[in-house]
Every structure is written in C-alpha cells, then in structure tokens.
Amino acid sequence: MKAKLEINGVSINLGFKTLEFIADILPDCEDNSLIFHELAKSKSSEVRIAVANKRYLMTETAKLLLKDSSIMVLCQIIRTDIGVSCLNKNILTRFIELNSVRLLKTIIMELDEIVNEFDCCDMTYLVDLLVQHQDPLIKYELAEMDIPECYLKILADDPDLSVARVAKSNLLELED
C-alpha cells in the first residue's frame, strides 16, 4: 500500500505505523468511510484492526474485514453493528471452524446481537456447534449466556466442574 501525506504541495510517504496512528485518530464519521475502506486493504493487521474498530464503515468494508486472516481483526469487526449485520451462517461456520478460542468467545459475547437483533443465524445452529467445543472456557462462557434450556442441561452435566456449576446456576435462575 502506498500512502502519503500532502500539505500545500509538500508530501511525505507514510509507513504502516503512521497509517495505524491515522486510522486510530481519524474521526469515526461517515465522511471518512472511503478512507477507512482504503485503509482496510492494508497489509498491516494493526491498521486493519484500527479500521475494524470504527462504526462508520461501508458495508463493502465490513465484508472485506470479515474475510480477514487476522483473528484480532475478525474479533473487532464482529463487535460492531455493521460487522454483525454482514454476518451469515456460512461466515459464522467458517469462524467456528477456525477454532480460535478468542474468536469463539467474541461470538458468544455477541450471540444475542447475532441471533436476535440482526437475525444472522439460528441460535440452535450456533449453540449446537459451540456446546461441543473441547475447551471448557467456551462451554463456560456459553453456559453464562441466555441460551435454550436444553443446552444448559447438557452443560450442567459437563465433566468440567466450573462449566457444570455455572450451567446449573443459570438453570436455577430460569426456574425462579
């Protein structure tokens, strides 16, 4: 990516660290959505993370970032409304198949928005996949969420005591 800063005809070339700084400090507004799109094409994951943190992105920019190879970029873009609005079942399946605990935790944290607010995917489809994960942290985080009771019952019988405890606690709250 070639970038330069020009002021009154005087210009300098910019490296990725300066672009990262610029991406961070540019006001998060619609007027900057085109420059955010160009910055999203950077080879630097740090620049792309800074862009993924913005709320005023074009749909094309969000879709570009959802194809990113960096887990940190993916985690950041699905924390935004524009990112979640571009999700679908295929993208979410690909994310789960990446098997990144960090990314799976982010999906779980955004589960309500993904399935209820933006209707990107069916709750049972996602929870079916996540409840089978080997890492107890994923099952623990899932057990803390507002998920269907049948899954809480599965998690209440989990061999990991922490997972089982939080699932049982959540089940008790449902009974009240």
Side-chain angles (χ1 to χ4, degrees), residues 1 3 14-27 35-36 38-40 42-54 72-73:
M1 169 175 277
L14 304 175
F16 84 93
K17 290 304 281 180
T18 306
L19 289 177
E20 177 188 352
F21 178 73
I22 289 171
D24 273 336
I25 66 165
L26 272 175
I35 196 74
F36 293 150
E38 292 306 313
L39 288 168
S42 173
K43 290 182 181 179
S44 167
S45 61
E46 296 300 315
V47 173
R48 296 190 316 273
I49 289 167
V51 172
N53 193 38
K54 303 294 184 179
M72 295 300 292
V73 171

Side-chain angles (χ1 to χ4, degrees), residues 88-95 125:
N88 59 44
K89 184 178 177 180
N90 292 336
I91 294 170
L92 287 162
T93 301
R94 180 175 56 87
F95 287 177
Y125 177 78

Side-chain angles (χ1 to χ4, degrees), residues 9-82:
V10 177
S11 66
I12 59 169
N13 291 325
L14 304 175
F16 84 93
K17 290 304 281 180
T18 306
L19 289 177
E20 177 188 352
F21 178 73
I22 289 171
D24 273 336
I25 66 165
L26 272 175
D28 193 1
C29 62
E30 198 171 326
D31 289 345
N32 291 328
S33 62
L34 286 173
I35 196 74
F36 293 150
H37 186 73
E38 292 306 313
L39 288 168
K41 298 174 186 176
S42 173
K43 290 182 181 179
S44 167
S45 61
E46 296 300 315
V47 173
R48 296 190 316 273
I49 289 167
V51 172
N53 193 38
K54 303 294 184 179
R55 292 182 304 148
Y56 288 93
L57 299 176
M58 299 182 304
T59 301
E60 302 83 49
T61 308
K63 287 179 178 179
L64 176 66
L65 293 169
L66 286 169
K67 295 175 185 173
D68 208 278
S69 61
S70 165
I71 295 298
M72 295 300 292
V73 171
L74 298 176
C75 287
Q76 193 57 53
I77 192 63
I78 64 174
R79 288 186 181 115
T80 65
D81 285 351
I82 187 69

Side-chain angles (χ1 to χ4, degrees), residues 84 87 92 107 110-116 119-121 126:
V84 173
L87 289 175
L92 287 162
I107 290 170
E110 302 300 325
L111 195 59
D112 184 54
E113 287 79 13
I114 290 169
V115 299
N116 295 322
D119 196 27
C120 301
C121 185
L126 283 178

Side-chain angles (χ1 to χ4, degrees), residues 71-72 75 79 99-107 138:
I71 295 298
M72 295 300 292
C75 287
R79 288 186 181 115
N99 206 28
S100 162
V101 170
R102 181 178 295 234
L103 182 56
L104 294 177
K105 272 185 66 173
T106 304
I107 290 170
I138 297 304

